[in-house]
Amino acid sequence: SRRSARMALLHRRAMLALPSRCFSAVPRVTLRDLQNNPGNNKDRKRKGRGPGSGMGKTATRGHKGQGARGTNPHRGFEGGQTPLYKLLPKRGFTNNQFKLDLTSLNVKDIELFMKMGRLEAPKDGSPITIRDLVRSGLVSRVKDGVKLLGDGAISEPIDVEVTRASKSAIEALEATGGSVVSGYMN
């Protein structure tokens, strides 16, 4: 208890020594008080600048050897031994060069945008195209096209022209009297 009384006394003395502005509710911030957090701005390592820096002479590269001479081997190099990737046989192939990056779109999203008035079926009976979908904001990034998926239902018959469509999407649109046309939009 003697120790806690001493701590309370020291605390009171410290509080009395503080100026009155330290007790304000909100500290006032001025431009001259702004500074970076400690340790935020570190000086870059200046290698090879003499023994006083601690990184002089060998400049953190050690003595001799391949690493000291500036040419490190490529990834997978095993010191001259036949590397693992050359020991194993080649298998299969990849078809990624022909892969299409299609943006997916659900039937329920078309229904929602039509109810909101952001997407309207053309008056002349032509189908809703990918261009219409982009202009309405329903689809933002179209790289190779749009694929229509069948999640949700639609209340009125519409014709849609997209790159691809799932079976369930085609069924959902044809159930209301609409249609899906697959077309490529450049």
Side-chain angles (χ1 to χ4, degrees):
S1 178
R2 205 169 166 195
R3 184 171 180 215
S4 62
R6 179 158 170 71
M7 291 299 287
L9 178 69
L10 288 172
H11 182 69
R12 258 186 262 124
R13 281 185 188 161
M15 296 302 266
L16 290 172
L18 290 172
S20 61
R21 65 184 163 86
C22 292
F23 297 107
S24 64
V26 180
R28 202 168 156 180
V29 178
T30 58
L31 286 174
R32 68 186 181 140
D33 295 334
L34 295 176
Q35 60 182 19
N36 278 321
N37 293 327
N40 187 33
N41 293 337
K42 289 172 74 174
D43 293 334
R44 69 182 182 86
K45 280 186 178 183
R46 298 185 70 236
K47 298 183 201 170
R49 297 294 189 278
S53 68
M55 288 176 275
K57 194 186 167 193
T58 56
T60 72
R61 285 176 169 265
H63 292 278
K64 300 184 184 176
Q66 190 174 21
R69 295 190 162 91
T71 54
N72 279 313
H74 59 81
R75 276 182 295 155
F77 184 66
E78 297 183 20
Q81 172 180 292
T82 307
L84 184 66
Y85 68 88
K86 283 192 173 181
L87 286 173
L88 300 174
K90 293 181 184 178
R91 272 189 61 89
F93 72 102
T94 178
N95 231 356
N96 282 345
Q97 60 182 342
F98 304 111
K99 182 182 176 189
L100 294 179
D101 187 7
L102 299 174
T103 306
S104 59
L105 171 67
N106 278 302
V107 173
K108 67 179 179 185
D109 299 327
I110 294 177
E111 173 75 8
L112 176 69
F113 268 59
M114 289 183 81
K115 281 183 179 173
M116 288 176 7
R118 290 181 63 179
L119 179 67
E120 293 179 4
K123 304 279 189 270
D124 59 356
S126 60
I128 295 172
T129 61
I130 296 173
R131 180 175 281 132
D132 298 328
L133 297 174
V134 171
R135 283 186 179 157
S136 69
L138 185 55
V139 178
S140 57
R141 188 191 65 90
V142 178
K143 201 163 185 184
D144 293 328
V146 175
K147 180 166 183 178
L148 187 62
L149 303 175
D151 189 20
I154 199 146
S155 58
E156 57 184 281
I158 55 164
D159 301 326
V160 182
E161 184 181 334
V162 286
T163 313
R164 287 187 183 162
S166 66
K167 285 181 183 177
S168 57
I170 295 168
E171 289 168 6
L173 285 175
E174 288 178 350
T176 58
S179 67
V180 178
V181 180
S182 287
Y184 179 75
M185 181 179 171
N186 196 359

